[in-house]
Amino acid sequence: MTVIDIPGSKSVTARALFLAAAAEGTTTLLRPLVSDDTEGFAEGLTALGYAVRREPDAWHIEGRPAGPGAETADVYCRDGATTARFLPTLVAAGRGTYRFDASAQMRGRPLGPLSTALRTLGVDLRHLEKEGHHPLDVHARGVKGGALTLDAGQSSQYLTALLMLGPLTAEGLDITVTDLVSEPYVEITLSMMRAFGADVRRDGRTYRVAPTGYRARTYGIEPDASTASYFFAAAALEPGRSVTVPGLGTGALQGDLAFVDVLRRMGADVEITDTGTTVRSTGTLRGLTVNMRDISDTMPTLAALAPFADGPVRIEDVANTRVKECDRLDACAENLRRLGITVHTGPDWIEIHPGTPTGPVEIATHGDHRIVMSFAVTALRTPGITFDDPGCVKKTFPDFHRVFDAFVHTP
């Protein structure tokens, strides 16, 4: 059995940085993810006037409940969707003028529902080029609060940003959601907000957030469940192989750990304990139909594994994967077809038929870290697979290629 230490969760690290910056006192984050996304978030906080001190296994953030220390700032969000959505929301509760921009890839990703919601709350937010996209200006003067309606059908990050803003408002927030994707990510948000002292409750489709503020604390970051999916998939694929990921067990925050339930349905042996999760190959992978709306970040992992199943693999309700770092649904279909696999797609589904992928093929990554890491699984059984941008894994797992290669070559 191979034990893999997976880097900290990107989703948890980003939320923890927001909450720490907003809290009264100094927060210590233990084992935060160190990657392009999280470093970009931390640098954004520094540009805004928050004190961030980084050590190898701990980051210390001095909170500023009243808002950024800088009255004006230019923040570059890189490729980070959490940075690009959370930081403009954070600064709205302060006072000052702040400009945000991002990479060309991130400029193409939607922000409109969040912008509309913030404007409903009285925030002076102006898109500088294309409406609903970066770059943008926020002229902040605090947020009173109140009630609003939100469509979070494209991204749960819109709801997460507003929920985390709630305790910083003068009167609290009532957010009624008309549509919601990736709901387990919202559960992460609620749990973490409460850990930092917030009072947030759900009443049907409405989330009620009291104006409590936040309190600093020491907070441990659990391993990234989305990143673990590539190692779990590899273990399910290779006869005689098994992998254990410590720190991702029955109490894990992240919904993407449910990917192992998909592997179990396909025939893998899965064991989840209080301390970790183990996946073992049984030598069998069955086809299946699965709704991945709530765990859509692992859709490419399953797509890359799917050709080796004994029947078609149909993944449904994943329309939101079309507005990630790239159109992941089409990117998976494109690359699988180039490998000789029969694939059918629709607006929110992909169906992959059994087959033997054949190389050599250079995978078109579209600069998307998850496409690279997913097709690394396909490459286990497909000589000649290369990537046009292997380095884009720096977004969430800079050391992925070395760690994955070591895992593959461990007896």
Side-chain angles (χ1 to χ4, degrees):
M1 178 188 300
T2 303
V3 177
I4 296 288
D5 288 319
I6 298 294
S9 163
K10 180 190 75 167
S11 300
V12 175
T13 302
R15 286 160 174 77
L17 285 169
F18 182 113
L19 297 170
E24 181 71 48
T26 299
T27 291
T28 296
L29 304 182
L30 303 176
R31 302 174 304 278
L33 173 64
V34 180
S35 72
D36 192 67
D37 268 16
T38 58
E39 288 181 336
F41 200 121
E43 288 178 8
L45 288 176
T46 300
L48 291 165
Y50 296 90
V52 179
R53 182 168 59 87
R54 288 182 270 176
E55 296 176 341
D57 291 315
W59 289 3
H60 310 276
I61 300 95
E62 294 181 21
R64 297 187 56 87
E71 292 184 0
T72 63
D74 288 338
V75 178
Y76 182 64
C77 301
R78 303 191 190 184
D79 284 338
T82 50
T83 308
R85 292 163 177 168
F86 292 178
L87 287 186
T89 308
L90 173 66
V91 304
R95 296 189 179 275
T97 300
Y98 309 102
R99 176 159 294 182
F100 296 89
D101 202 356
S103 68
Q105 183 189 69
M106 188 59 225
R107 278 187 171 201
R109 298 181 66 180
L111 195 70
L114 177 59
S115 301
T116 299
L118 289 171
R119 287 167 173 161
T120 299
L121 293 172
V123 177
D124 184 356
L125 185 153
R126 307 172 190 177
H127 292 282
L128 303 178
E129 294 183 12
K130 183 180 179 182
E131 183 62 28
H133 295 263
H134 279 277
L136 59 89
D137 281 351
V138 177
H139 301 273
R141 51 183 182 273
V143 179
K144 180 180 178 182
L148 60 88
T149 300
L150 176 72
D151 182 347
Q154 281 184 326
S155 174
S156 63
Q157 289 177 2
Y158 306 148
L159 176 57
T160 280
L162 293 163
L163 287 169
M164 292 194 298
L165 173 65
L168 305 178
T169 64
E171 298 179 359
L173 283 182
D174 284 357
I175 308 168
T176 300
V177 179
T178 59
D179 192 16
L180 177 60
V181 71
S182 303
E183 186 171 350
Y185 282 93
V186 178
E187 295 303 317
I188 295 174
T189 305
L190 300 179
S191 175
M192 293 183 66
M193 288 174 63
R194 291 170 182 139
F196 279 80
D199 178 0
V200 54
R201 305 173 188 181
R202 181 174 180 177
D203 181 10
R205 288 181 169 269
T206 299
Y207 296 81
R208 306 187 188 281
V209 190
T212 55
Y214 294 108
R215 296 186 297 275
R217 56 164 296 167
T218 297
Y219 193 87
I221 307 297
E222 68 184 29
D224 194 295
S226 306
T227 298
S229 73
Y230 314 114
F231 296 87
F232 290 143
L237 175 62
E238 296 289 275
R241 185 173 289 280
S242 67
V243 66
T244 296
V245 176
L248 277 179
T250 51
L253 291 174
Q254 298 162 83
D256 276 3
L257 184 57
F259 179 74
V260 299
D261 295 328
V262 179
L263 295 178
R264 181 188 281 120
R265 288 179 57 193
M266 295 180 77
D269 181 21
V270 176
E271 180 183 6
I272 304 176
T273 69
D274 290 344
T275 58
T277 296
T278 299
V279 173
R280 301 178 183 86
S281 171
T282 62
T284 298
L285 283 175
R286 294 187 291 270
L288 82 171
T289 297
V290 57
N291 185 308
M292 298 189 81
R293 179 182 179 86
D294 285 340
I295 57 170
S296 60
D297 274 352
T298 62
M299 179 278 287
T301 319
L302 181 57
L305 180 68
F308 307 106
D310 63 7
V313 171
R314 183 180 172 93
I315 306 169
E316 298 180 336
D317 208 0
V318 287
N320 70 310
T321 63
R322 292 189 178 276
V323 291
K324 298 287 188 174
E325 282 81 345
C326 70
D327 183 331
R328 286 180 178 162
L329 197 150
D330 275 358
C332 288
E334 167 199 359
N335 285 306
L336 287 168
R337 287 170 181 144
R338 294 175 65 203
L339 288 162
I341 301 302
T342 299
V343 181
H344 304 293
T345 62
D348 66 348
W349 60 269
I350 181 170
E351 184 174 287
I352 301 147
H353 288 251
T356 302
T358 55
V361 167
E362 183 180 70
I363 297 298
T365 65
H366 303 279
D368 190 331
H369 58 134
R370 300 217 180 277
I371 299 299
V372 176
M373 292 188 279
S374 296
F375 279 88
V377 176
T378 315
L380 294 174
R381 292 267 193 96
T382 313
I385 283 184
T386 57
F387 301 95
D388 63 8
D389 185 8
C392 68
V393 296
K394 71 181 186 295
K395 181 177 176 70
T396 51
F397 194 174
D399 210 20
F400 171 78
H401 295 291
R402 184 193 65 79
V403 174
F404 195 77
D405 186 65
F407 165 65
V408 169
H409 290 97
T410 299

